[in-house]
Amino acid sequence: MKAVMLIPGPDGGRIEVQDAPQPTPGPRDVLIKVKATAINRGEVAGRRGLKTGDPVISGIELAGEVAGVGAGLDGGATDFKVGDRVMGQVRGCNADFAVADRDLLMPVPDHLDWVQAASLPNVLVTAHDAIVTNGVLTAGETVLVNAGSSGIGIAAIQIARALGAGTIIATSRGPEKLAALEALGADVRVDLSSESIIDAVAAATDGKGVDLIIDSVGAPALADNIEVLGLKGRLIGVGRLGGSMAEIDLNAVALKRLRIIGVTFRTRNDEEKRACARACAADLQAALSDGAIQPVVDRVFPIEELDAAHRYMESNAHTGKIVITL
C-alpha cells in the first residue's frame, strides 16, 4: 500500500510517499480502508522535532470503511462489520489502510461525508475528556472556552451546549472567527485583540466568575484564567499554544479553592485511551446523529499536499479543522 512517511532529519521530519506493507488486524482490531484524515497541531509540532529514529507513518485520526476484522470479533451487536463507516483516533493513518482497536472507533452518522467525519474524532474525544471526565461539568454551569475557533475550541463549545451548560463564553481574535462561534452555541464572544476577558466575564456572570475553563492557550492566559474563575472553579489545560511557563498566584488558587488539571493522551496507556473513546461515544453519539454537534472544516488538502497543509496550520489562519483526502 501507499503510505505517507515522516523521515527524520536535522531539520525535522520530511514527508515522503513510500510503499509499505498493509497492516494485519489483531484479534480485536479492525482493518480500515482510509478515506480521509485530519491534521492536528500536536503532530505538526512532533514532525518538527523528529530528528532521529526510524521513519513513521504520519496521521492520528481518520474516517474510512471497514475492510476486515480480527478473529476475535464475532459479529456481535457491538462489533463492526465489513462495509461499516467508522471514524476514530488511529495512529499511522495517512495510508491506504490502517488498523485500530474496535474500542477506539465510532460509527459515522449517515448525514456526514468522509471529510466531515475525519474532522471529528480527535477533537471530540479530547474535548469530552476535558469537559466531562476532568471538568465534571454539570447542567447550568458557566463555561469559558479559550481559543474558541480552534478545532478543540469548536468541539468544546458544542459539547458543552449539548450537555446542558449555562452561559458559554468563547475567546478568539478577529470578528470573522468570532462570528462563526455564535451559531455553534457561544453566548458571549470575546475578541482578545480589543476586549478584556476579565471585564467580559464579570459582565456575563454578574461578577461571580466561570465554573469551568477549557484552555488551549497556556502560559499567557494563566493569570486571567485564575482571575475569572469563580469559587471552586476548574481550569482544564488542554494545550499550550502560547507557551508552557508562567507564574501562578497560589493565594488566589487557595482562596477560591480552585482545581487546575492538565490533560494529555501522550502519557495514557492503551486501556485509558480506549476508555476515553468509549465514554465519548456513549455520551455524544446521539448528539452527533441528530446534528446537535456539527463538524467545522476550514480547508481540505489532497494527501499529496500534506506539507502545505502543515504550513497552513502553522499560519493560524484556520477556523475549525484541516482535512486530508486520500
Side-chain angles (χ1 to χ4, degrees):
M1 69 173 187
K2 297 295 184 182
V4 179
M5 309 296 294
L6 295 181
I7 313 299
D11 297 322
R14 184 182 79 256
I15 292 174
E16 186 175 306
V17 178
Q18 297 183 355
D19 288 321
Q22 182 173 309
T24 301
R28 287 187 52 79
D29 287 342
V30 174
L31 176 67
I32 305 159
K33 177 66 177 76
V34 182
K35 300 293 187 178
T37 67
I39 64 172
N40 296 272
R41 198 168 294 273
E43 65 184 299
V44 175
R47 174 194 170 189
R48 290 199 303 268
L50 190 65
K51 299 184 178 181
T52 60
D54 296 325
V56 294
I57 301 176
S58 67
I60 65 170
E61 63 178 328
L62 61 71
E65 186 176 282
V66 175
V69 296
L73 301 183
D74 58 9
T78 61
D79 288 341
F80 292 108
K81 304 172 182 63
V82 172
D84 285 348
R85 302 169 74 232
V86 296
M87 58 188 184
Q89 291 176 304
V90 181
R91 288 201 169 273
C93 60
N94 279 331
D96 291 333
F97 292 90
V99 295
D101 185 292
R102 59 101 40 234
D103 284 340
L104 294 176
L105 301 172
M106 293 182 280
V108 175
D110 292 339
H111 66 281
L112 298 182
D113 61 28
W114 293 123
V115 166
Q116 293 170 320
S119 74
L120 290 172
N122 190 61
V123 294
L124 287 184
V125 174
T126 302
H128 175 273
D129 176 71
I131 292 170
V132 178
T133 304
N134 289 283
V136 199
L137 175 71
T138 60
E141 287 192 312
T142 301
V143 179
L144 168 61
V145 179
N146 287 329
S149 56
S150 67
I152 295 296
I154 286 171
I157 291 167
Q158 295 190 80
I159 291 171
R161 176 59 67 219
L163 297 181
T167 300
I168 299 175
I169 305 166
T171 70
S172 190
R173 292 183 182 275
E176 291 183 0
K177 290 189 174 184
L178 287 166
L181 303 183
E182 181 175 8
L184 298 173
D187 303 294
V188 179
R189 298 154 305 281
V190 184
D191 186 343
L192 294 181
S193 63
S194 59
E195 299 178 79
S196 163
I197 185 60
I198 294 174
D199 292 343
V201 168
T205 65
D206 293 327
K208 296 178 182 178
V210 298
D211 299 297
L212 176 64
I213 298 177
I214 305 301
D215 180 65
S216 296
V217 177
L222 180 60
D224 285 350
N225 284 338
I226 298 298
E227 177 74 16
V228 302
L229 278 168
L231 189 65
K232 299 174 70 173
R234 290 92 68 201
L235 169 60
I236 312 301
V238 177
R240 291 151 296 281
L241 297 174
S244 59
M245 301 294 290
E247 292 185 352
I248 185 169
D249 183 349
L250 293 176
N251 283 330
V253 173
L255 289 170
K256 292 185 179 182
R257 290 179 282 160
L258 304 179
R259 280 179 280 170
I260 301 174
I261 303 169
V263 296
T264 182
F265 284 88
R266 297 177 191 174
T267 53
R268 301 191 200 205
N269 60 37
D270 289 343
E271 180 49 42
E272 288 173 320
K273 293 175 183 177
R274 289 192 290 267
C276 288
R278 289 193 299 265
C280 176
D283 285 348
L284 301 183
Q285 197 66 55
L288 282 168
S289 296
D290 66 17
I293 293 177
Q294 292 283 343
V296 177
V297 177
D298 181 281
R299 192 167 171 183
V300 180
F301 290 81
I303 191 65
E304 295 81 8
E305 298 179 15
L306 181 60
D307 187 67
H310 280 205
R311 293 197 303 272
Y312 180 59
M313 171 163 276
E314 289 177 313
S315 76
N316 295 320
H318 60 292
T319 297
K321 292 291 293 221
I322 301 169
V323 176
I324 307 299
T325 53
L326 282 77

